Each structure stands twice: as structure tokens, then as C-alpha cells.
Amino acid sequence: MPERLNTRARAAKKKSSGKSAALAEKLKRLGIARREDLCLHLPLRYEDETRVTPVETALKSTLDADEDGGVQLQGAIIGSQIQFRPRRQLIVRLADASGAITLRFLNFYPNQMAALAVGNQVRCVGEIRQGYFGAEMVHPRFRVVLPDTPLPESLTPIYPTTAGLAQAALTKLIDKALSETPMDETLEAGFLASARLPTLWDALLFLHRPPADANARALAARQHPAWRRVKLDELLAQQISLRRAYRARREIGAPRLVAKGELAAALVRQLPFELTRAQRRVCAEISADLHAPYPMQRLLQGDVGAGKTLVAALAICQAVESGWQAAFMAPTEILAEQHYLKLSGWFKPLGVEVIWLTGSQKGRARAAQLAAARTAGLIVGTHALIQEGVDYERLALAVIDEQHRFGVQQRLALRQKGEAPHQLMMSATPIPRTLAMSYCADLDVSVLDELPPGRKPIRTRLAREERREEVMAYVRKKVTAGEQVYWVCPLIEESDSLQLKTALETHAWLTEALPELCIGLVHGRLKSAEKQMVMAEFAAGKIDLLVATTVIEVGVDVPNASLMVIEHAERFGLAQLHQLRGRVGRGAQASSCVLLYAEPLSPTARARLKIIFENNDGFEIARLDLQLRGPGEFIGSRQSGLPLLRYADLETDADLVETARALAETLLARFPEKADQIRERWLGEKESLLKA
Ligand code: ADP
Ligand code: MG
């Protein structure tokens, strides 16, 4: 007998450990692994169960527009029956001294039926609506009480949860976590007082269990001081993590690029224009970085056409003049080729050797390029630059154009090619200021906020695709006037071959419809030599109308092109539309962009088209894009691996971002253990890629 008992005890134990593993798994889905995580798992919203509303009052108030969240009623069950029309459901009548109401349950268990038996006293929360048989509550939350069961003193939190983990169970776990020792306060009392913020622990207690009279609106808007204290802490953790990565890189040595600036001066002298003020300022910032004995990590932001290539070229001058090599990496072959042509046009007259490396070079040609790349002053190319077998003897500067197109891994690989080359990352997808300050806090950021003089704003028009004929007449008119046109094919994300088919079809029907024009076609499936030939012909003015897929999205620079037509513009993202549109408006003539769209438009597509129609400034477009999409998608691959902010909102909490930035610097410099503590409680092990 004892043996049998033993087995039973063991089985019970096994069952309970299986249960706790299942619970741990569910918590993990919510990002909860430690006690801190429970404390930092904050309610989505609250329900007010601190008051009971008389049934009669509740019924009256539904006649006005009801406030959200519903009401709480308490009364005795005076009727309870299962009905089968139209389907099986439980209909319950609840009455208090003022009146009675129907509660309707479409799904219910026997134990719920028992709880709702006639004579029981029940408290229920829900929204009242007018049903077929009068006012009712459908599926209210309820519990059985005694007539004198006290009301709770605080608002009831509703937590984000996951399948199989009930609100009540999660609330209990959080209650327990909150009942243990308070978390240490890391910020100074004086600072908190002057910023009018509570301690973190007080803030957490408040947010988990707000008193009945808490300011509901400030709570919902997450602008209550308690919310602000929590968000500040979260932003601090992010800043500390990124600034620490930034500081760690400063410990790594890099060649100091000391030059008199003669090469740069010679380059500037041969240009037919002057540098803009913004270009001069940014060049000075970069030059100072290159002088330093640790690697530059600078992000250069500038709208399309702001002249980033030239800024990079001047940095390259500093590397080459001081006896080192520079590499210039672009995301597509077309763009790399363009840069190669432009940069060799600038550098060859100065006696600097410029080499071109792409993945499509093979055999002997490739071997020769690789040999030359070992010592050339400047190597331009695609990610072929970072492949196995490519060696540089003295690489000191890596320029990465359109950095948002490259993954973190590729950037790290380029860094490993030299000791620790200086890195200049360029992006024409402007990152809104607050986003740059938070997610890019491991970088220095320069902004080219001025376009070269004489640029004419691009006129954007929207047209339903039924108006294609008119658009074609306009294309004909432009070409007759000696200008050139891009025709961008619809984006088909899910299928490369469909995309190709569409490009071929578009080219075919345009050729038929506009027989007098010389029409070219460029798409991703062409061999690189073919692509280059088409682009060269377009640049030389031999092609009037270039049908293209998004391969021309970034960087392409043909000043005589003054009109761009984009088909199915509703399928493109905002950054992409802005990039594409930036291909025109580069010459002296007025330029325009026609966005053809097909109805029906989704609300987001409509919002995007409205934004691109109304705005020409890339930074403003980026800001609106951030509002539309949130930071997760916005930063894309750059920080994949870096946890996103859960509570702070970069738009509404911009002031907190600034405070966090300054505070993080102070903590790192003066109280590194405290900085660690903050980072640890928010990020734990989640911080990964940045250490690389
Ligand atoms: P982006 O910033 O989009 O990469 P580019 O570097 O391609 O822009 O520059 C766009 C065009 O403007 C190029 O033809 C370039 O030669 C020209 N450009 C650059 N700087 C100036 C300037 N200061 N004045 C006039 N034109 C300039
Ligand atoms: Mg560019």
C-alpha cells in the first residue's frame, strides 16, 4: 500500500511541475521570465469596480452615448434559464432595489450556471446595449458575492495576456511580485523632485493598482507622472545600452587620418559648383572624427539629392591623402556603377586609383580586380566588397551608401575587413529626430538639412489609373520638349517572376502605344552589363522613356529626367515613394511625378498617398510615416535584435528622450553600477547585437 501511495505522490508532483513549465512557457510569450518582468508588465487599461451603479441609473445612462469601460451592477438573481432560440443560450435576470436587467451568455459552463442560480448575489461588469428584448449585458464579467462583500479600493487592471493565461491568474502573480521587496531607486531624490516624478517603485505600485479617484484621463493617455517615471526608466535603459556600446567602440583603436586637405581642395576646385553650407558643416564634423584614434561611427542623413556622395568623396580624400584606402559600398549594382562613374570622374584627374568590384565579375577579370583592390586608393562596389577572398592592405574608411538597405551583419563584416575602419553610413530615408536620438544612440548623427541651390520643387499629382491616356499624352509632350521620363512598374512583393512579367508587359504596351518614342527597360533580372548599358543610354539621352522596376529606387542620378510615372503607387511604402520621386527634379527644368493608383484604396494606402502628395520634405514624410507605422517597422533591419520600446512613445514623449539622453551620460560617467542596474532590469539578456 505505501508503495502505491508513493507512486501517486510522484505522479502528482510530476503533474505540478509540468503545470509550472506550461505556465513558464506562457509567461515567456509575454516576455516575462523574472520577478522584475512581472513588475514591469503594466496594465493596458483599467475597469472601475470600486463603485456599484443602481440598475435604473445604468439603464438611463445608456440612452446617452456611453463612456467606454462599462458599468458595475450588483443584485440578486431572480431568474435563470436556458433558451434555444435562436441558439442555446443562458438568460439570467438580475435585480437590485431600483430595477432589473437581462444578462445573456452564449457560451457557458455548468459551474457558471450554478454560480448564476436564482437567489445568488452577483456583481457584474459590462456594457449595456439595447438587445432584441430590451436592455441587456452580453457576457459580463461576474462574481458571486455576499450582500456586504466590500468593494475594491483600487481600479481593476486589465493586463496584456496570452492564450490560456487568465487575467485573474496573471493578476495574482503580479500581486505576489509586488508584495516582495521594493526595487531600489536609482535616480537621485533631488532630480525626481525637480522633475516632479515619483520613485520607480511608487510609480509601479500606482500603475498596477491605481486608487479609485485616480485621474482616469491622464492614466489612459499615459501622461500621468507615474507613467512618465516608468517611460523615463525604459528610455534610460535604452540609452545606457546604446551609449555603452558607443563607448566600448571608442576603446578600439583606428588609424588617425591626418591630412593637410590638399586632395580635398583639389577636388572642390574642379567642381562646377560651390559646397552648400550644410555640406561644409558636415564635412568638418566627419573630418574631426577621422582625426581621432578610434573608429568613426557616423550616420549621415540627408534628403534625396542633398549631395551626400560629395561629402563622402571629401572624407575619402582625407583617407587617401594620409596614405590609406577607402571603400564605398552601395546596395545595388546600378547604384554602385553610378557611384563608380561619378567618383572616378572626380578622382582619376587627381591621380587616385579607383577600382570597381561586383559579384558579377568572374574568372580572370575578378582576379585582376582583387589584386588591384589590395592597394587601390578607392574601391567601389556592392556587397562583393565584403565577400571572402577580398583583402585590403590599408583600409581605413568604409562608406556605406543607403545604409538602411544593408543588414547589421553586412556592416559588421565590412568593419572586420580592416583593423577597425572608420565608418560613414549614409541614408536618404530620413529618420525623425527622436527616433535617431533613441534607436541610433550608438551612432553620431550628421544632418544635411539643405538642398543645393536652384532645385525646383517636384510637382506631385495623383491620378486614378483610368486616366492613363491623359498621362501618356503628357509623357509624349515632355519627350517632344526634349526631356526624359521614368515609368515605374507596379511593385509585386510576393513574386519576382510576376514582377518581371509585369515589367515586360508594361514595356510592350508602352512601345505599342507610343511608337514614336525610344523606350528602354531595366529590371532586376537583367545581367549587370545589360543594366549598365541601358542606364548609360538613358543617361546619354538616347532613351526617351525608361520603363523600370524599383531597381532605380535609390541613388540614380540623371538630371535630364523630369517626369516620373509610378503605377499602382498605392502598393509602395512612403520611404520608397519619396526615394523614387527623388530621381526627378535634379536638373534645371521643372519636374513632376504622377502617381497612378487603383481603387479601392485601403485606409493606410489612402493616408500614404495623401502624405506624399502634400509633402516634399523627406524629414516631414519620415515623421508622418513614423506616426503611421510605429518604430518597429520603421527601423527595419538596422536594429533587428534590439528590443523595441514598450511604453515610451517617441512622438508624445520627445522631452523624455532628451532627458534620458543627458541622464544616461551622467550615470555612465559617474554611477556605472546604477546604470547597469537600470539596463539590467529592462533588458536583461535581451541586449545582443550591439555588443558585436
Ligand atoms: P544624394 O544625397 O541623394 O546622394 P547626390 O550625392 O546624388 O545626392 O547629389 C545629387 C546631385 O547634386 C548630384 O548631381 C551632385 O553632383 C549634385 N550636387 C552635390 N552637391 C552640390 C552642390 N553643393 N551644388 C550643386 N549641386 C550639387
Ligand atoms: Mg545618394
Side-chain angles (χ1 to χ4, degrees):
M1 278 317 248
E3 219 160 68
R4 260 181 74 189
L5 267 181
N6 238 341
T7 350
R8 212 188 280 166
R10 235 181 291 141
K13 200 167 168 198
K14 203 164 158 199
K15 200 168 158 199
S16 92
S17 85
K19 227 171 161 182
S20 70
L23 176 64
E25 188 50 43
K26 283 173 204 151
L27 289 172
K28 203 170 129 204
R29 261 186 265 145
L30 296 172
I32 299 174
R34 312 165 300 170
R35 174 187 169 227
E36 289 96 314
D37 301 330
L38 278 169
C39 297
L40 295 173
H41 191 75
L42 292 171
L44 281 174
R45 59 188 177 85
Y46 305 93
E47 273 172 8
D48 188 352
E49 295 173 8
T50 62
R51 282 171 300 169
V52 165
T53 308
V55 171
E56 192 190 11
T57 318
L59 288 176
K60 270 196 200 129
S61 69
T62 47
L63 299 177
D64 323 325
D66 199 3
E67 284 192 12
D68 63 340
V71 290
Q72 175 164 256
L73 310 175
Q74 178 172 333
I77 305 295
I78 53 166
S80 175
Q81 67 176 144
I82 295 177
Q83 289 185 358
F84 287 91
R85 264 163 306 162
R87 53 180 271 205
R88 187 168 179 269
Q89 46 186 305
L90 179 65
I91 304 292
V92 173
R93 288 289 286 174
L94 174 134
D96 66 7
S98 70
I101 187 170
T102 298
L103 314 180
R104 184 202 296 271
F105 297 85
L106 298 168
N107 301 302
F108 52 95
Y109 296 102
N111 62 338
Q112 290 174 315
M113 260 179 79
L116 295 165
V118 172
N120 279 353
Q121 184 80 12
V122 163
R123 223 173 252 169
C124 64
V125 182
E127 275 173 55
I128 297 176
R129 57 169 211 197
Q130 286 304 318
Y132 192 69
F133 299 105
E136 62 180 16
M137 264 190 191
V138 179
H139 278 268
R141 283 193 298 115
F142 70 90
R143 64 192 187 104
V144 178
V145 291
L146 296 172
D148 57 354
T149 304
L151 286 163
E153 279 165 15
S154 52
L155 301 180
T156 308
I158 307 294
Y159 291 106
T161 184
T162 180
L165 182 59
Q167 241 352 286
L170 184 55
T171 304
K172 222 173 186 175
L173 287 171
I174 291 174
D175 266 334
K176 181 163 175 295
L178 292 173
S179 68
E180 291 164 15
T181 16
M183 286 182 186
D184 290 341
E185 180 53 46
T186 27
L187 303 182
E188 281 174 20
F191 166 80
L192 291 178
S194 70
R196 294 167 176 272
L197 293 174
T199 66
L200 181 64
W201 189 248
D202 284 345
L204 291 175
L205 289 179
F206 182 89
L207 292 176
H208 282 290
R209 308 284 173 261
D213 62 350
N215 181 341
R217 193 158 302 155
L219 271 181
R222 302 200 164 182
Q223 286 306 320
H224 190 281
W227 265 120
R228 287 173 54 82
R229 174 66 187 87
V230 170
K231 294 196 275 194
L232 176 63
D233 216 64
E234 176 179 43
L235 289 165
L236 264 175
Q238 183 190 46
Q239 288 292 328
I240 287 164
S241 159
L242 289 164
R243 295 308 284 174
R244 232 179 31 171
Y246 176 88
R247 284 162 163 251
R249 284 200 295 261
R250 294 218 150 188
E251 307 292 313
I252 304 170
R256 302 188 52 176
L257 305 180
V258 184
K260 285 213 189 99
E262 282 165 4
L263 200 56
L267 199 164
V268 170
R269 237 177 288 130
Q270 69 182 24
L271 294 172
F273 49 74
E274 305 256 304
L275 296 191
T276 63
R277 247 201 341 232
Q279 279 172 322
R280 256 193 286 262
R281 187 193 67 235
V282 168
C283 282
E285 288 167 2
I286 294 170
S287 176
D289 282 0
L290 297 178
H291 266 121
Y294 40 81
M296 167 169 80
Q297 288 284 322
R298 190 169 282 278
L299 175 66
L300 171 56
Q301 290 204 69
D303 208 345
V304 254
K308 294 183 288 293
T309 321
L310 181 57
V311 170
L314 293 170
I316 291 166
C317 285
Q318 190 166 340
V320 172
E321 188 182 335
S322 52
W324 292 83
Q325 295 175 279
F328 192 119
M329 183 160 94
T332 66
E333 289 218 354
I334 288 190
L335 186 54
E337 159 96 12
Q338 284 229 334
H339 282 320
Y340 172 70
L341 293 175
K342 183 148 230 167
L343 292 165
S344 35
W346 283 338
F347 280 106
K348 286 201 172 142
L350 304 176
V352 177
E353 191 186 358
V354 185
I355 293 289
W356 155 246
L357 261 192
T358 74
S360 59
Q361 291 161 332
K362 295 275 159 358
R364 216 176 300 157
R366 179 165 175 84
Q369 294 299 86
L370 286 180
R374 294 184 69 84
T375 55
L378 172 60
I379 306 96
V380 183
T382 55
H383 26 256
L385 287 188
I386 52 170
Q387 274 156 11
E388 286 291 315
V390 188
D391 282 316
Y392 310 99
E393 278 181 6
R394 286 172 66 76
L395 184 65
L397 170 65
V399 178
I400 302 166
D401 196 23
E402 308 297 346
Q403 67 90 28
H404 59 287
R405 294 298 215 86
F406 290 103
V408 183
Q409 296 311 334
Q410 282 165 321
R411 285 200 290 118
L412 293 179
L414 185 54
R415 198 188 297 157
Q416 279 143 21
K417 285 285 164 188
E419 292 268 301
H422 298 281
Q423 276 196 39
L424 178 63
M425 290 155 266
M426 306 201 287
S427 172
T429 302
I431 303 171
R433 205 177 96 83
T434 47
L435 191 63
M437 274 184 68
S438 58
Y439 288 97
C440 301
D442 61 328
L443 304 174
D444 291 305
V445 180
S446 289
V447 183
L448 269 185
D449 50 4
E450 180 185 3
L451 291 179
R455 291 277 163 80
K456 304 221 172 58
I458 303 163
R459 241 187 98 184
T460 301
R461 302 159 199 230
L462 292 171
R464 274 191 289 139
E465 63 175 352
E466 290 76 25
R467 293 175 57 198
R468 195 184 297 265
E469 290 296 323
E470 283 167 60
V471 175
M472 273 162 38
Y474 188 54
V475 168
R476 197 178 280 125
K477 191 173 133 204
K478 281 289 180 186
V479 172
T480 314
E483 296 171 21
Q484 287 169 280
V485 181
Y486 294 100
W487 192 289
V488 180
C489 300
L491 178 72
I492 300 172
E493 279 189 343
E494 40 316 335
S495 156
D496 238 18
S497 51
L498 254 180
Q499 170 115 17
L500 176 66
K501 182 164 163 265
T502 320
L504 294 173
E505 281 168 7
T506 311
H507 180 254
W509 71 255
L510 276 169
T511 308
E512 203 179 299
L514 299 165
E516 70 278 28
L517 305 193
C518 180
I519 304 181
L521 171 64
V522 61
H523 56 75
R525 290 286 185 86
L526 287 183
K527 293 223 175 66
S528 85
E530 293 168 331
K531 266 188 241 168
Q532 283 154 29
M533 209 169 72
V534 178
M535 288 313 294
E537 286 181 352
F538 188 61
K542 290 189 198 144
I543 292 175
D544 302 316
L545 172 60
L546 182 63
V547 177
T549 58
T550 47
V551 292
I552 57 142
E553 179 189 341
V554 288
V556 168
D557 188 26
V558 179
N560 195 46
S562 64
L563 170 62
M564 169 170 287
V565 180
I566 302 178
E567 284 213 59
H568 279 287
E570 77 279 2
R571 295 188 194 164
F572 292 86
L574 267 175
Q576 222 172 4
L577 286 173
H578 183 61
Q579 278 280 337
L580 281 168
R581 183 173 62 177
R583 301 307 113 217
V584 295
R586 299 184 156 233
Q589 72 283 42
S591 295
S592 52
C593 177
V594 178
L595 304 175
L596 285 172
Y597 65 89
E599 295 196 296
L601 289 174
S602 73
T604 331
R606 186 176 297 276
R608 281 201 300 257
L609 291 178
K610 181 167 186 293
I611 291 171
I612 200 79
F613 175 70
E614 288 174 352
N615 294 280
N616 257 322
D617 176 354
F619 281 92
E620 186 57 17
I621 291 172
R623 199 179 65 78
L624 297 167
D625 200 12
L626 177 63
Q627 283 179 2
L628 215 56
R629 293 195 294 160
E633 285 182 64
F634 204 91
I635 52 175
S637 59
R638 193 191 106 74
Q639 303 282 13
S640 52
L642 183 73
L644 293 171
L645 293 167
R646 288 155 63 187
Y647 303 126
D649 176 298
L650 296 175
E651 186 84 9
T652 52
D653 304 321
D655 64 320
L656 290 177
V657 177
E658 312 233 4
T659 310
R661 172 107 187 197
L663 211 52
E665 286 296 332
T666 315
L667 287 171
L668 280 168
R670 298 189 19 222
F671 310 103
E673 347 59 67
K674 289 194 174 175
D676 258 359
Q677 216 179 334
I678 299 176
R679 192 199 58 76
E680 180 59 33
R681 79 173 154 241
W682 283 92
L683 299 172
E685 292 309 305
K686 289 173 209 150
E687 184 191 36
S688 58
L689 266 171
L690 290 157
K691 288 184 189 143

